[in-house]
Amino acid sequence: MSRSSYIFTSESVSEGHPDKVADRISDTVVDAFLSVEPEARVACETLVTTNRIVLAGEVRAGKPGASKAENKAMTKEILAGLEPKVRAAVKDIGYAQKGFHWEKAKFANFLHPQSADIAVGVDSTEKKEEGAGDQGIMFGYACDETPSLMPATLQFSHDILHKLAEVRHSGEADFLEPDAKSQVTLLYQDGRPVEILKIVVSTQHKKKIGDQTVNSKRLAAAIKPYVESVIPAGLITKKTKWHVNPTGRFLIGGPDGDAGVTGRKIIVDTYGGAAPHGGGAFSGKDPTKVDRSAAYACRYLAKNVVAAGLARKCTIQISYAIGVSDPLSFYVDLHGTGQVDPAKLELALPQMIGGATPRAIREHLGLNRPIYARTAAYGHFGRQPDNEGGFSWEKTDLADQLKGLA
């Protein structure tokens, strides 16, 4: 039996965290390919460390069925233009430090053509539908704890860092540097968040705030108003315990302080530990990779179930085999909060997105667009859909149709 009263914690990391820098670069590569060829294939891994950026992985720019010469020429052209795009991404995050500088860091590109053995299983032909890019299990989750239908502990952790990044970029809090982490601990009663027990913020900073040397007390006084501004009224109380830079100082950060690698923050990217997640990361992958596209589809469907009032919580799992178009399984868990039989949803939901094949998901959500660099920090879920097609999986356009299943 699930508990109705408990304490739960989630964490987030900023856009300047080393792993998030790597994610941003990998998704910048994805966008670079998709902006030229929507059918491009990308699986990019990035390593960042002290003044060094390294790319590795597999790519293919041409359309399925195009000649090898055409694919090779287009791929070569895009690869040649990657370095300035990568450096611009690092500059946008805010890294111009001695140990990691957008302009001075050494850049190495080891991306190479996609394996023909993978391509033959994924590409569609006259005789077969496009198959999944790999085997795997993907999850989606939604709950009614916040307006974004995300777990409150994670949403608040994201919101804290997003706000600190906003005032850093604007110059309002010019003592802040890009690397930061947050953590929120909430007390739940009767399944509802009622009080924040602890807030942790560790942020890289400059030596001084104005003319005063930075210490934990001064930093806490400077950032607390920003944190409080993004938390719903009443959740922070006099009993809330704050831990701001508990080690005392955080001058050396980012890739100079700790190496970063693509895909190491998948709990931050998904649901903060409040729900399962699949085995694969998202960043650096084009949307034929079901690690990414099917996870987005599962979130989309779960969110619509909750938005329709059919459940307070919904988890969806889907599975695939490499080269096979149809899902192997589709599972719905309403966590005892449902107003409809989950088995009914298991039949109806896949059909609402064309059977949940990889191609159907990409087409329904419009995923073959350069919309991925914006997902790299502050979560892939719980965001607002934008005019360029980003975060299309956050729409609730199926909710009215789903209400008819109750």
Side-chain angles (χ1 to χ4, degrees):
M1 181 179 294
S2 61
R3 297 169 62 189
S4 61
S5 298
Y6 54 92
I7 296 170
F8 195 77
T9 304
S10 294
E11 70 161 348
S12 183
V13 297
S14 73
E15 64 194 86
H17 185 281
D19 295 328
K20 285 286 125 195
V21 175
D23 285 346
R24 171 72 176 272
I25 292 171
S26 291
D27 276 337
T28 296
V29 172
V30 174
D31 285 353
F33 274 83
L34 293 180
S35 65
V36 175
E37 175 46 66
E39 296 287 337
R41 302 288 165 77
V42 184
C44 176
E45 308 292 344
T46 300
L47 164 70
V48 289
T49 186
T50 302
N51 271 331
R52 189 173 294 275
I53 302 166
V54 182
L55 307 184
E58 302 78 44
V59 294
R60 187 187 72 189
K63 294 180 180 291
S67 71
K68 290 182 179 180
E70 290 172 323
N71 288 345
K72 186 175 180 180
M74 188 180 292
T75 300
K76 185 177 180 180
E77 181 180 352
I78 299 172
L79 287 173
L82 283 182
E83 183 174 348
K85 290 181 171 64
V86 168
R87 292 190 184 279
V90 176
K91 182 181 182 181
D92 184 61
I93 293 169
Y95 276 112
Q97 300 172 0
K98 182 179 179 181
F100 192 70
H101 196 291
W102 68 270
E103 190 174 27
K104 299 175 183 178
K106 293 181 180 179
F107 177 81
N109 184 352
F110 298 105
L111 292 166
H112 60 81
Q114 181 190 47
S115 163
D117 290 345
I118 294 176
V120 74
V122 177
D123 291 347
S124 60
T125 67
E126 293 180 358
K127 296 183 178 180
K128 79 173 189 71
E129 173 62 278
E130 173 187 303
D134 202 353
Q135 72 171 50
I137 56 172
M138 299 85 210
F139 289 90
Y141 179 73
C143 62
D144 64 356
E145 294 176 17
T146 60
S148 61
L149 304 187
M150 288 289 288
T153 48
L154 180 64
Q155 189 64 63
F156 299 159
S157 295
H158 285 327
D159 290 346
I160 289 168
L161 295 182
H162 206 184
K163 182 63 176 181
L164 294 182
E166 177 187 311
V167 296
R168 173 175 62 85
H169 283 297
S170 72
E172 181 179 335
D174 60 0
F175 55 90
L176 295 175
E177 295 281 21
D179 193 0
K181 302 179 81 170
S182 65
Q183 192 166 280
V184 174
T185 300
L186 268 167
L187 171 65
Y188 286 76
Q189 291 180 349
D190 297 323
R192 296 290 186 183
V194 296
E195 182 183 356
I196 293 179
L197 301 181
K198 298 179 180 68
I199 295 174
V200 181
V201 180
S202 294
T203 180
Q204 188 185 16
H205 57 83
K206 294 178 181 176
K207 291 183 178 180
K208 291 188 175 183
I209 299 177
D211 60 355
Q212 293 186 313
T213 300
V214 173
N215 58 33
S216 293
K217 187 175 180 180
R218 287 177 182 144
L219 190 65
I223 70 169
K224 274 186 177 182
Y226 297 125
V227 175
E228 291 168 341
S229 72
V230 299
I231 302 297
L235 289 178
I236 296 177
T237 71
K238 292 181 179 179
K239 295 187 293 182
T240 300
K241 188 167 185 179
W242 293 72
H243 298 280
V244 177
N245 281 29
T247 62
R249 82 181 207 170
F250 187 176
L251 294 173
I252 300 171
D256 186 34
D258 190 11
V261 180
T262 303
R264 283 205 300 202
K265 288 291 177 285
I266 54 179
I267 289 181
V268 171
D269 289 341
T270 54
Y271 306 105
H277 60 76
F282 303 154
S283 291
K285 297 175 181 176
D286 75 80
T288 66
K289 277 71 171 176
V290 286
D291 278 340
R292 179 169 225 157
S293 56
Y296 288 177
C298 287
R299 161 64 180 174
Y300 172 64
L301 294 174
K303 185 176 184 181
N304 274 272
V305 168
V306 175
L310 299 183
R312 285 181 49 201
K313 295 182 180 181
C314 178
T315 298
I316 293 175
Q317 185 209 58
I318 194 168
S319 68
Y320 293 90
I322 188 169
V324 179
S325 59
D326 291 326
L328 303 186
S329 63
F330 190 95
Y331 168 73
V332 176
D333 183 0
L334 302 180
H335 304 274
T337 69
Q339 306 299 314
V340 63
D341 184 353
K344 199 172 184 180
L345 292 174
E346 289 167 354
L347 293 174
L349 290 174
Q351 300 312 309
M352 291 182 174
I353 53 170
T357 66
R359 178 175 292 279
I361 289 171
R362 290 192 293 115
E363 291 178 350
H364 187 93
L365 296 177
L367 299 181
N368 283 96
R369 290 183 275 189
I371 55 174
Y372 297 105
R374 68 197 73 177
T375 69
Y378 314 117
H380 290 245
F381 309 125
R383 312 280 289 276
Q384 286 295 318
D386 59 43
N387 293 332
E388 293 77 41
F391 304 103
S392 60
W393 49 93
E394 290 298 312
K395 293 179 180 179
T396 54
D397 53 343
L398 299 180
D400 287 343
Q401 185 178 352
L402 281 166
K403 289 176 183 177
L405 297 178

